[in-house]
Amino acid sequence: MSALFSLLDRLFSNSKPLHDPLTPPAGNTEVKTTTCYMCACRCGIRVHLRDGEVRFIEGNPEHPLNQGVLCAKGSAGIMKQVSPARLTQPLRRKPGAERGAGEFEPISWDEALQLLEDRLRHLRATDPRQFALFTGRDQMQALTGLFAREFGTPNYAAHGGFCSVNMAAGMIYTFGGSFWEFGGPDLERAKLFVMLGTAEDHHSNPMKIALSKFKRTGGRFISINPIRTGYSAIADEWIPIRPSTDGALLLALVHELLRTGRIDTAFTAECTNGAQLVRVQPGHAEDGLFVPASGADGNDTDPALHRLWWDVVTQRAVPAWSEGAQPALNGHYRLPDGTPVAPALQLLREQVAHCTPQWAQDITGIPAERIRRLAQEMAQAALDQSEDLPIAWTDWHGRPQATLQTRPLAFHAMRGLAAHSNGFQTIRALSILMSLLGTIDAPGGFRHKAPYPKDVPPEVRNPSGPQDVQPDTPLNGAPLGWPTSPDDLALMDDGSPLRIDKAFSWEHPLAVHGLMHNVITNAWRGDPYPIDTLLIFMSNMAWNSAMNTVDVRQILRDKREDGSYRIPFLVVCDAFHSEMTAFADLLLPDTSYLERHDAMSLLDRPISEFDGPMDSVRVPVLPPLAQTRPFQEVLVELASRLALPAFVLPTGSRRFKDYPDFIVRYETAPDSGIGFLSGWRGADGSKSLKGEPNPRQWEMYAQHNCVHHHPLPESQRYRRNWNRDYLDFAQSMGWRRRNTPIIIALYSDVLQQFRLAALGQRPGRQPPEHLRARVAHHFDPLPFWEPPLEHAATDLARYPLAAVTQRPMAMYHAWDSQNAWLRQIHGHNRLYVNPALAQQHGIADGDWLWIESSWGRVRARCQYSEAVEPGTVWTWNAVGKASGFWGLHPRAEESQTGFLLNHLIREELPAQALGLGQGVISNSDPITGQAGWYDLRVRITPADAPLQDGQTLPEAAQSWPQFDPPQALPHPRVPGHQTRVLRYFAGRGRHKGVQP
Amino acid sequence: MTQLALVIDLNVCVGCHACVTSCKQWNTSGSAGHLSDHEPYGENPLGVFFNRVQTYEVMQFPQTQTVHFPKSCLHCEEPPCVPVCPTGASYKRQEDGIVLVDSDKCIGCKYCSWACPYGAREYDDDRGVMTKCTLCVDRIYDETIPPAQRRPACVNACPTNARLFGDVHDPESEVSLAIRERGGYALMPELGTRPANHYLPRRLPQETKAADDQTQRTQQRPASARQTQVPTPRAEAVEMQSRSLFARLFGAVFDPVRAAVAGRE
């Protein structure tokens, strides 16, 4: 046989190939730099164009964030550009058509803007709260927040309420920084890295780069997660844990460290409030608050610096940080006036006394012995493997230090801890664990990123009452603030919520990112009040960004008895034909990320590195498709037309030509020298961080890889909460008003202020009676663990399984399913079930099954997985789609075999189940309003099993529920799902899309 | 003689698929392009990808290892796809050992894909030709590309730097060093194809603990699963599969399943 082939080979083959594999195809190529936006990571990219079409997108090797690498999403950016799901022109709901039917008619931008201007002008002049602006993963909150503030509405937030606000709030209320864009694990110097849960969509490429280097240099990586995928796949050890129980594990670890005395005692005494004396006098108006040192004034200084220690040498109370004093970290004492006090750490010790490893074993499923060993491994890494680095710095007292001690124990956590209604206290527990081991901004530990650390909490105040919200007037305060006491809540005079989402009300007092997940339901119910216009930018609130999706879709089209819609006017701005677009009264087409300017600003969530501030820009590398217009331009245009003060000159005429002009010339205060971008400031571009506006700033960014990095001197890169030079520098840059040190709040007197009010011991604002017990219980100044709220409203015997979602690395969210390449990686999702569990229920691998919660059911397919703990089932987030959206065929696998777990999750719980009287209350953390969407409990049954009522459903090879596909949009589109074969080849002029 | 190849480090691959789409976008507009996608927005999208990532689970809960396994043409030194090609379209380049398909000679008979034991070939239905990984032959010699980026697109993109590229015949090259020091292995060496691409095995910590863990595993299963009288045939099949997979993915460095079995005997 082979002889025959050899013969054929000789006959047919020519030693020279006919096709030359080396010569590149013809065409004019050019390379432009900009910044990726296929997820929140924001890598530097080089976009290669051939005859005006995208030939290749590569990671920019000169970009400090991604150093040349690029993920699967970034490498599939071309398919986003040519997606048939692109919206191409403004549309209005057809007169007479029902909302949600998806029947639109084209209108011009002039008409659309005029319509909006008229409506908003009226609302602003009468009741600005009637306009609500909520946004998705937009990365432009500095601008959208400014717009809301200048408009005068408190009803603004981004999507943090259902993303990971607990992570931001839990950590920032403890040590002034957080994971996320605000800080992260220093894997360059860590020896042990512990990852709890996690989301793989923030800072994802830098994390991958660091993780592989860490492993290659011998670091030990432990993943604590119900599921072993993604990063956890390469962990040296996987410790499976039950969802929503991380708090118990963390408290047991704190218990063990305190029991064995394995903490960083000097750090705890000096840098935290652990040694500060707390009044222990139940019933007293100041019970549980720190006792102020005499002579402390409330002005312009941090009360955390003016408290008492118990000096073990002299056995008396002395002002904290007194020269020569040795502060007690345990025991109970009496002040000379008889006041009973104890150091905060003593109270923590008492709080966690019952949190033994045995206690945690029963909750988490992790053997007690493993928890004990883990505590010691952590202490060993942080304390015993520490070394002194020859880095000189100056502490906040002005004392020069010749060296800097490493604390080579790093953590990372995100949504897995955050998206639970017990998440805030869980993350408080993690923050305390990290602090007790001295890892905060230490080499090898947790490192801040500028402009963090900020005050505990940051000095940003939201409007506190109706006096702060006036017609035709900017808001008094920022829409989203950081409350320090009940006085900072946003309440009407009768104590009801000021905001439509009830953020900063007694239901969710520290809702620092708002509660976007409750806006639609609240507006529909008119609780706390009805609104007129809801503008949703880039968030799929009728699908994967909503909980209780089926009802929310109904609510969006619900009418009053007079036939008018309960939410009268709905404006949606998006780049793609998402499920949400069907419900728009006015639909505005956004551009793609390759077609516009953007600023990743230090005023927002920049891309800073551990060693200093960094921000970046996007510049257009392609013209906008058809009539698409960047949302930023729409906002600047509207703000100018409405004469919002920051956007107009004193004469009333418009101040900024367009968005790029706004970015260059806007300053936070007259002549502050601080604007959206920190690079190439000053008239000639010679200044960094601060300086007069530079008209050539965009150009200079474009010449420098679209990124500006300002590395700090080595002496200012660590221990920044207490680093004299850094604190002075941060103040001079306007990142903080003060230059005082930021003391870690192991014990949170902010929380205690709310508890005292709820107990009726604090004068001033009081919670309504039905919420008193809830506030008093949850606002514990020290962390505690208890099951999430949803469990109280669920029959756990009937619904024994935890159900969660994860985000695949190759697909960020809803945005990506129209991407022809990425959908071939994740085109459908299944429910991953441990085979032992599935077999108990008679479900085979690949079978259809019902997933049922107290609130609904979904049909999906089962996939066996040994990489999930048997009490948990999970699926990929946002892969499932409604039929006919996103430019996909109505029978595309996304809608036919893909499914959405969101149908099973409620945004509200019956108040009665929580002992809170009648009605409903948000299914969210009672402190921060973080949506508890990882708290879901379900059961699984074979899809052809008899249902409760005896009825038997035939097994269908289709996921359920299904929705009717929408009508085609009335605008020219690039060829859609009719495309039989996509032959993408840049430079033949086939992929330029629809031109205006 | 030069033999260019990829060496893929399974110890750090997190399965992010960056190599998959970076390969696709480079090659669809490159000299091997286009790479068609059938029904790109339809019911059953099916496109040509030179490189794909497969995910395996090895062993049972809680000892599970999740292994991401990127796979593309291995550029065999004895490529079985070349002699079977009736038109000489399949060929191995003398100068660098890259195995290519000459699309101008290919008649789409698919003999080569039948001959390839690794399933590494991708038939393009639209063009009627066989395609496969070219090691980005149109990048690596292109002098308009900065030298540091003159590597296959997947190697540049890989965020964990799990893909090394170089000459496996040069004993001092980065790839040869990695193969020597890390126990790099080739797939199915028994077939005599001598793949040029190699894999670096997953490193397992605490290797001696495996036998203990095996006992622990049984204890940690849910009560009702423990009560199951006989292991289902499926479970046995899974274990058999795991064993061979383990050997394949983790190489000869260590096989805890085998060790556990040996421990019991």
PDB file of all heavy atoms in Angstrom, chain A residues 18 21 50 57 228 823-824 840 865-866 980 982-984, chain B residues 25 28-29 31 37 39-40 47 57 64 66 102 126 224:
ATOM      1  N   LEU A  18       2.885  24.784  -5.103  1.00  0.00           N
ATOM      2  CA  LEU A  18       2.288  25.772  -6.000  1.00  0.00           C
ATOM      3  C   LEU A  18       1.911  27.036  -5.237  1.00  0.00           C
ATOM      4  O   LEU A  18       2.009  28.144  -5.728  1.00  0.00           O
ATOM      5  CB  LEU A  18       1.035  25.185  -6.670  1.00  0.00           C
ATOM      6  CG  LEU A  18       1.278  23.972  -7.557  1.00  0.00           C
ATOM      7  CD1 LEU A  18      -0.047  23.406  -8.045  1.00  0.00           C
ATOM      8  CD2 LEU A  18       2.149  24.364  -8.750  1.00  0.00           C
ATOM      9  N   PRO A  21       3.503  29.688   0.829  1.00  0.00           N
ATOM     10  CA  PRO A  21       2.915  29.907   2.158  1.00  0.00           C
ATOM     11  C   PRO A  21       3.473  31.133   2.865  1.00  0.00           C
ATOM     12  O   PRO A  21       2.970  31.512   3.913  1.00  0.00           O
ATOM     13  CB  PRO A  21       3.302  28.630   2.908  1.00  0.00           C
ATOM     14  CG  PRO A  21       4.574  28.175   2.262  1.00  0.00           C
ATOM     15  CD  PRO A  21       4.487  28.599   0.822  1.00  0.00           C
ATOM     16  N   ARG A  50      -6.093  46.098   7.114  1.00  0.00           N
ATOM     17  CA  ARG A  50      -5.697  45.910   5.714  1.00  0.00           C
ATOM     18  C   ARG A  50      -6.789  46.541   4.861  1.00  0.00           C
ATOM     19  O   ARG A  50      -7.948  46.116   4.923  1.00  0.00           O
ATOM     20  CB  ARG A  50      -5.544  44.425   5.384  1.00  0.00           C
ATOM     21  CG  ARG A  50      -5.019  44.178   3.961  1.00  0.00           C
ATOM     22  CD  ARG A  50      -5.115  42.730   3.552  1.00  0.00           C
ATOM     23  NE  ARG A  50      -4.139  41.902   4.246  1.00  0.00           N
ATOM     24  CZ  ARG A  50      -4.373  40.635   4.570  1.00  0.00           C
ATOM     25  NH1 ARG A  50      -5.536  40.075   4.293  1.00  0.00           N
ATOM     26  NH2 ARG A  50      -3.456  39.934   5.208  1.00  0.00           N
ATOM     27  N   ILE A  57      -5.848  41.644  15.589  1.00  0.00           N
ATOM     28  CA  ILE A  57      -5.765  42.411  16.831  1.00  0.00           C
ATOM     29  C   ILE A  57      -4.817  41.661  17.749  1.00  0.00           C
ATOM     30  O   ILE A  57      -5.062  40.495  18.077  1.00  0.00           O
ATOM     31  CB  ILE A  57      -7.153  42.550  17.499  1.00  0.00           C
ATOM     32  CG1 ILE A  57      -8.137  43.248  16.561  1.00  0.00           C
ATOM     33  CG2 ILE A  57      -7.033  43.313  18.810  1.00  0.00           C
ATOM     34  CD1 ILE A  57      -9.566  43.298  17.086  1.00  0.00           C
ATOM     35  N   ARG A 228     -13.955  23.290  40.383  1.00  0.00           N
ATOM     36  CA  ARG A 228     -12.573  23.373  39.927  1.00  0.00           C
ATOM     37  C   ARG A 228     -12.524  23.579  38.422  1.00  0.00           C
ATOM     38  O   ARG A 228     -12.507  22.623  37.644  1.00  0.00           O
ATOM     39  CB  ARG A 228     -11.813  22.105  40.306  1.00  0.00           C
ATOM     40  CG  ARG A 228     -10.371  22.178  39.884  1.00  0.00           C
ATOM     41  CD  ARG A 228      -9.497  21.120  40.482  1.00  0.00           C
ATOM     42  NE  ARG A 228      -8.128  21.638  40.537  1.00  0.00           N
ATOM     43  CZ  ARG A 228      -7.116  21.022  41.082  1.00  0.00           C
ATOM     44  NH1 ARG A 228      -7.281  19.861  41.657  1.00  0.00           N
ATOM     45  NH2 ARG A 228      -5.927  21.570  41.094  1.00  0.00           N
ATOM     46  N   ARG A 823     -18.920  31.970  19.957  1.00  0.00           N
ATOM     47  CA  ARG A 823     -20.084  31.098  20.164  1.00  0.00           C
ATOM     48  C   ARG A 823     -19.784  29.662  19.751  1.00  0.00           C
ATOM     49  O   ARG A 823     -20.498  28.744  20.115  1.00  0.00           O
ATOM     50  CB  ARG A 823     -21.339  31.641  19.461  1.00  0.00           C
ATOM     51  CG  ARG A 823     -21.366  31.535  17.960  1.00  0.00           C
ATOM     52  CD  ARG A 823     -22.654  32.147  17.413  1.00  0.00           C
ATOM     53  NE  ARG A 823     -23.829  31.328  17.709  1.00  0.00           N
ATOM     54  CZ  ARG A 823     -24.506  30.623  16.800  1.00  0.00           C
ATOM     55  NH1 ARG A 823     -24.131  30.632  15.528  1.00  0.00           N
ATOM     56  NH2 ARG A 823     -25.559  29.912  17.142  1.00  0.00           N
ATOM     57  N   GLN A 824     -18.707  29.483  18.996  1.00  0.00           N
ATOM     58  CA  GLN A 824     -18.304  28.106  18.691  1.00  0.00           C
ATOM     59  C   GLN A 824     -17.537  27.478  19.859  1.00  0.00           C
ATOM     60  O   GLN A 824     -17.306  26.273  19.882  1.00  0.00           O
ATOM     61  CB  GLN A 824     -17.466  28.066  17.415  1.00  0.00           C
ATOM     62  CG  GLN A 824     -18.291  28.443  16.182  1.00  0.00           C
ATOM     63  CD  GLN A 824     -17.485  28.326  14.904  1.00  0.00           C
ATOM     64  OE1 GLN A 824     -16.990  27.265  14.564  1.00  0.00           O
ATOM     65  NE2 GLN A 824     -17.346  29.431  14.194  1.00  0.00           N
ATOM     66  N   GLN A 840     -28.083   9.649  42.108  1.00  0.00           N
ATOM     67  CA  GLN A 840     -29.111   9.552  43.154  1.00  0.00           C
ATOM     68  C   GLN A 840     -30.485   9.902  42.605  1.00  0.00           C
ATOM     69  O   GLN A 840     -31.499   9.426  43.089  1.00  0.00           O
ATOM     70  CB  GLN A 840     -28.819  10.563  44.270  1.00  0.00           C
ATOM     71  CG  GLN A 840     -27.812  10.136  45.293  1.00  0.00           C
ATOM     72  CD  GLN A 840     -27.604  11.268  46.290  1.00  0.00           C
ATOM     73  OE1 GLN A 840     -28.545  11.925  46.699  1.00  0.00           O
ATOM     74  NE2 GLN A 840     -26.359  11.487  46.669  1.00  0.00           N
ATOM     75  N   SER A 865     -19.878  16.082  36.107  1.00  0.00           N
ATOM     76  CA  SER A 865     -18.574  16.686  36.377  1.00  0.00           C
ATOM     77  C   SER A 865     -18.086  16.269  37.748  1.00  0.00           C
ATOM     78  O   SER A 865     -18.810  16.378  38.737  1.00  0.00           O
ATOM     79  CB  SER A 865     -18.667  18.209  36.318  1.00  0.00           C
ATOM     80  OG  SER A 865     -17.456  18.771  36.776  1.00  0.00           O
ATOM     81  N   GLU A 866     -16.857  15.797  37.770  1.00  0.00           N
ATOM     82  CA  GLU A 866     -16.212  15.453  39.047  1.00  0.00           C
ATOM     83  C   GLU A 866     -15.576  16.693  39.672  1.00  0.00           C
ATOM     84  O   GLU A 866     -15.008  16.618  40.742  1.00  0.00           O
ATOM     85  CB  GLU A 866     -15.136  14.377  38.834  1.00  0.00           C
ATOM     86  CG  GLU A 866     -15.666  13.030  38.382  1.00  0.00           C
ATOM     87  CD  GLU A 866     -16.334  12.243  39.509  1.00  0.00           C
ATOM     88  OE1 GLU A 866     -16.220  12.661  40.682  1.00  0.00           O
ATOM     89  OE2 GLU A 866     -16.974  11.217  39.210  1.00  0.00           O
ATOM     90  N   ARG A 980     -24.779  31.782   5.179  1.00  0.00           N
ATOM     91  CA  ARG A 980     -24.511  30.349   5.168  1.00  0.00           C
ATOM     92  C   ARG A 980     -23.045  30.077   5.527  1.00  0.00           C
ATOM     93  O   ARG A 980     -22.742  29.234   6.334  1.00  0.00           O
ATOM     94  CB  ARG A 980     -24.846  29.752   3.796  1.00  0.00           C
ATOM     95  CG  ARG A 980     -25.072  28.241   3.817  1.00  0.00           C
ATOM     96  CD  ARG A 980     -25.329  27.699   2.414  1.00  0.00           C
ATOM     97  NE  ARG A 980     -24.177  27.850   1.537  1.00  0.00           N
ATOM     98  CZ  ARG A 980     -23.125  27.031   1.548  1.00  0.00           C
ATOM     99  NH1 ARG A 980     -23.085  26.019   2.375  1.00  0.00           N
ATOM    100  NH2 ARG A 980     -22.106  27.234   0.726  1.00  0.00           N
ATOM    101  N   LEU A 982     -19.441  32.203   6.510  1.00  0.00           N
ATOM    102  CA  LEU A 982     -18.693  33.430   6.747  1.00  0.00           C
ATOM    103  C   LEU A 982     -17.260  33.180   6.304  1.00  0.00           C
ATOM    104  O   LEU A 982     -16.614  32.252   6.770  1.00  0.00           O
ATOM    105  CB  LEU A 982     -18.740  33.781   8.246  1.00  0.00           C
ATOM    106  CG  LEU A 982     -17.889  34.955   8.704  1.00  0.00           C
ATOM    107  CD1 LEU A 982     -18.379  36.266   8.100  1.00  0.00           C
ATOM    108  CD2 LEU A 982     -17.909  35.059  10.228  1.00  0.00           C
ATOM    109  N   ARG A 983     -16.822  34.000   5.343  1.00  0.00           N
ATOM    110  CA  ARG A 983     -15.448  33.833   4.856  1.00  0.00           C
ATOM    111  C   ARG A 983     -14.692  35.095   5.213  1.00  0.00           C
ATOM    112  O   ARG A 983     -14.460  35.939   4.355  1.00  0.00           O
ATOM    113  CB  ARG A 983     -15.446  33.610   3.341  1.00  0.00           C
ATOM    114  CG  ARG A 983     -16.287  32.441   2.873  1.00  0.00           C
ATOM    115  CD  ARG A 983     -16.310  32.347   1.345  1.00  0.00           C
ATOM    116  NE  ARG A 983     -17.142  31.227   0.916  1.00  0.00           N
ATOM    117  CZ  ARG A 983     -18.429  31.336   0.594  1.00  0.00           C
ATOM    118  NH1 ARG A 983     -19.012  32.524   0.625  1.00  0.00           N
ATOM    119  NH2 ARG A 983     -19.124  30.275   0.226  1.00  0.00           N
ATOM    120  N   TYR A 984     -14.358  35.229   6.459  1.00  0.00           N
ATOM    121  CA  TYR A 984     -13.715  36.487   6.852  1.00  0.00           C
ATOM    122  C   TYR A 984     -12.297  36.533   6.330  1.00  0.00           C
ATOM    123  O   TYR A 984     -11.474  35.664   6.630  1.00  0.00           O
ATOM    124  CB  TYR A 984     -13.705  36.690   8.371  1.00  0.00           C
ATOM    125  CG  TYR A 984     -13.236  38.095   8.692  1.00  0.00           C
ATOM    126  CD1 TYR A 984     -14.132  39.164   8.645  1.00  0.00           C
ATOM    127  CD2 TYR A 984     -11.891  38.382   8.923  1.00  0.00           C
ATOM    128  CE1 TYR A 984     -13.708  40.465   8.846  1.00  0.00           C
ATOM    129  CE2 TYR A 984     -11.451  39.679   9.129  1.00  0.00           C
ATOM    130  CZ  TYR A 984     -12.377  40.720   9.094  1.00  0.00           C
ATOM    131  OH  TYR A 984     -11.954  42.011   9.279  1.00  0.00           O
TER     132      TYR A 984
ATOM    133  N   GLN B  25      -7.884  34.347  14.008  1.00  0.00           N
ATOM    134  CA  GLN B  25      -7.894  35.665  13.367  1.00  0.00           C
ATOM    135  C   GLN B  25      -6.636  35.896  12.539  1.00  0.00           C
ATOM    136  O   GLN B  25      -6.689  36.526  11.499  1.00  0.00           O
ATOM    137  CB  GLN B  25      -8.120  36.782  14.382  1.00  0.00           C
ATOM    138  CG  GLN B  25      -7.049  36.932  15.423  1.00  0.00           C
ATOM    139  CD  GLN B  25      -7.004  38.342  16.015  1.00  0.00           C
ATOM    140  OE1 GLN B  25      -7.518  39.280  15.434  1.00  0.00           O
ATOM    141  NE2 GLN B  25      -6.374  38.480  17.165  1.00  0.00           N
ATOM    142  N   THR B  28      -7.118  33.463   9.299  1.00  0.00           N
ATOM    143  CA  THR B  28      -8.227  33.658   8.354  1.00  0.00           C
ATOM    144  C   THR B  28      -7.906  34.757   7.344  1.00  0.00           C
ATOM    145  O   THR B  28      -8.382  34.717   6.221  1.00  0.00           O
ATOM    146  CB  THR B  28      -9.557  33.942   9.087  1.00  0.00           C
ATOM    147  OG1 THR B  28     -10.621  33.759   8.150  1.00  0.00           O
ATOM    148  CG2 THR B  28      -9.624  35.354   9.639  1.00  0.00           C
ATOM    149  N   SER B  29      -7.070  35.704   7.763  1.00  0.00           N
ATOM    150  CA  SER B  29      -6.678  36.758   6.816  1.00  0.00           C
ATOM    151  C   SER B  29      -5.233  36.585   6.360  1.00  0.00           C
ATOM    152  O   SER B  29      -4.640  37.497   5.820  1.00  0.00           O
ATOM    153  CB  SER B  29      -6.847  38.140   7.465  1.00  0.00           C
ATOM    154  OG  SER B  29      -8.195  38.422   7.698  1.00  0.00           O
ATOM    155  N   SER B  31      -1.934  33.940   4.694  1.00  0.00           N
ATOM    156  CA  SER B  31      -1.714  33.292   3.403  1.00  0.00           C
ATOM    157  C   SER B  31      -2.422  31.940   3.335  1.00  0.00           C
ATOM    158  O   SER B  31      -2.612  31.397   2.262  1.00  0.00           O
ATOM    159  CB  SER B  31      -0.220  33.152   3.127  1.00  0.00           C
ATOM    160  OG  SER B  31       0.354  32.327   4.097  1.00  0.00           O
ATOM    161  N   ASP B  37     -16.475  29.719   8.288  1.00  0.00           N
ATOM    162  CA  ASP B  37     -17.396  29.355   9.357  1.00  0.00           C
ATOM    163  C   ASP B  37     -18.755  29.095   8.736  1.00  0.00           C
ATOM    164  O   ASP B  37     -19.377  30.013   8.193  1.00  0.00           O
ATOM    165  CB  ASP B  37     -17.511  30.488  10.380  1.00  0.00           C
ATOM    166  CG  ASP B  37     -16.212  30.744  11.105  1.00  0.00           C
ATOM    167  OD1 ASP B  37     -15.878  29.934  11.975  1.00  0.00           O
ATOM    168  OD2 ASP B  37     -15.522  31.733  10.779  1.00  0.00           O
ATOM    169  N   GLU B  39     -22.689  28.458   8.817  1.00  0.00           N
ATOM    170  CA  GLU B  39     -23.787  28.883   9.681  1.00  0.00           C
ATOM    171  C   GLU B  39     -23.252  29.638  10.891  1.00  0.00           C
ATOM    172  O   GLU B  39     -23.487  29.245  12.035  1.00  0.00           O
ATOM    173  CB  GLU B  39     -24.589  27.684  10.185  1.00  0.00           C
ATOM    174  CG  GLU B  39     -25.369  26.979   9.088  1.00  0.00           C
ATOM    175  CD  GLU B  39     -26.383  26.005   9.702  1.00  0.00           C
ATOM    176  OE1 GLU B  39     -26.943  26.325  10.767  1.00  0.00           O
ATOM    177  OE2 GLU B  39     -26.582  24.950   9.108  1.00  0.00           O
ATOM    178  N   PRO B  40     -22.508  30.714  10.656  1.00  0.00           N
ATOM    179  CA  PRO B  40     -21.844  31.373  11.784  1.00  0.00           C
ATOM    180  C   PRO B  40     -22.823  31.872  12.844  1.00  0.00           C
ATOM    181  O   PRO B  40     -22.470  31.935  14.005  1.00  0.00           O
ATOM    182  CB  PRO B  40     -21.101  32.537  11.128  1.00  0.00           C
ATOM    183  CG  PRO B  40     -21.818  32.768   9.835  1.00  0.00           C
ATOM    184  CD  PRO B  40     -22.281  31.415   9.387  1.00  0.00           C
ATOM    185  N   GLY B  47     -16.937  25.941  12.271  1.00  0.00           N
ATOM    186  CA  GLY B  47     -15.875  26.650  11.583  1.00  0.00           C
ATOM    187  C   GLY B  47     -14.565  25.890  11.607  1.00  0.00           C
ATOM    188  O   GLY B  47     -14.416  24.892  12.302  1.00  0.00           O
ATOM    189  N   GLU B  57     -11.524  16.005  32.771  1.00  0.00           N
ATOM    190  CA  GLU B  57     -11.470  15.825  34.222  1.00  0.00           C
ATOM    191  C   GLU B  57     -10.837  14.463  34.479  1.00  0.00           C
ATOM    192  O   GLU B  57     -11.232  13.476  33.873  1.00  0.00           O
ATOM    193  CB  GLU B  57     -12.868  15.873  34.819  1.00  0.00           C
ATOM    194  CG  GLU B  57     -13.464  17.264  34.768  1.00  0.00           C
ATOM    195  CD  GLU B  57     -14.899  17.305  35.251  1.00  0.00           C
ATOM    196  OE1 GLU B  57     -15.447  16.247  35.615  1.00  0.00           O
ATOM    197  OE2 GLU B  57     -15.472  18.400  35.258  1.00  0.00           O
ATOM    198  N   THR B  64     -10.233  15.438  41.989  1.00  0.00           N
ATOM    199  CA  THR B  64     -10.344  15.818  40.581  1.00  0.00           C
ATOM    200  C   THR B  64      -9.216  16.740  40.121  1.00  0.00           C
ATOM    201  O   THR B  64      -8.890  17.708  40.799  1.00  0.00           O
ATOM    202  CB  THR B  64     -11.682  16.567  40.361  1.00  0.00           C
ATOM    203  OG1 THR B  64     -12.670  15.968  41.178  1.00  0.00           O
ATOM    204  CG2 THR B  64     -12.059  16.572  38.911  1.00  0.00           C
ATOM    205  N   THR B  66      -8.615  19.082  36.822  1.00  0.00           N
ATOM    206  CA  THR B  66      -9.189  19.609  35.583  1.00  0.00           C
ATOM    207  C   THR B  66      -8.022  19.990  34.681  1.00  0.00           C
ATOM    208  O   THR B  66      -7.196  20.808  35.065  1.00  0.00           O
ATOM    209  CB  THR B  66     -10.063  20.842  35.871  1.00  0.00           C
ATOM    210  OG1 THR B  66     -11.043  20.468  36.846  1.00  0.00           O
ATOM    211  CG2 THR B  66     -10.758  21.333  34.623  1.00  0.00           C
ATOM    212  N   ASP B 102      -0.509  22.233   0.741  1.00  0.00           N
ATOM    213  CA  ASP B 102      -0.510  23.179  -0.376  1.00  0.00           C
ATOM    214  C   ASP B 102      -1.933  23.226  -0.931  1.00  0.00           C
ATOM    215  O   ASP B 102      -2.388  22.286  -1.582  1.00  0.00           O
ATOM    216  CB  ASP B 102       0.478  22.676  -1.440  1.00  0.00           C
ATOM    217  CG  ASP B 102       0.588  23.643  -2.613  1.00  0.00           C
ATOM    218  OD1 ASP B 102      -0.338  24.471  -2.784  1.00  0.00           O
ATOM    219  OD2 ASP B 102       1.589  23.576  -3.332  1.00  0.00           O
ATOM    220  N   ASP B 126     -16.045  24.609   2.626  1.00  0.00           N
ATOM    221  CA  ASP B 126     -16.350  25.693   1.704  1.00  0.00           C
ATOM    222  C   ASP B 126     -15.364  25.717   0.548  1.00  0.00           C
ATOM    223  O   ASP B 126     -15.736  25.804  -0.604  1.00  0.00           O
ATOM    224  CB  ASP B 126     -16.317  27.018   2.474  1.00  0.00           C
ATOM    225  CG  ASP B 126     -16.665  28.187   1.582  1.00  0.00           C
ATOM    226  OD1 ASP B 126     -17.672  28.080   0.867  1.00  0.00           O
ATOM    227  OD2 ASP B 126     -15.930  29.185   1.590  1.00  0.00           O
ATOM    228  N   SER B 224     -25.811   8.456  50.257  1.00  0.00           N
ATOM    229  CA  SER B 224     -26.527   7.497  49.421  1.00  0.00           C
ATOM    230  C   SER B 224     -25.632   6.912  48.334  1.00  0.00           C
ATOM    231  O   SER B 224     -25.827   5.776  47.919  1.00  0.00           O
ATOM    232  CB  SER B 224     -27.736   8.164  48.797  1.00  0.00           C
ATOM    233  OG  SER B 224     -27.344   9.383  48.262  1.00  0.00           O
TER     234      SER B 224
END
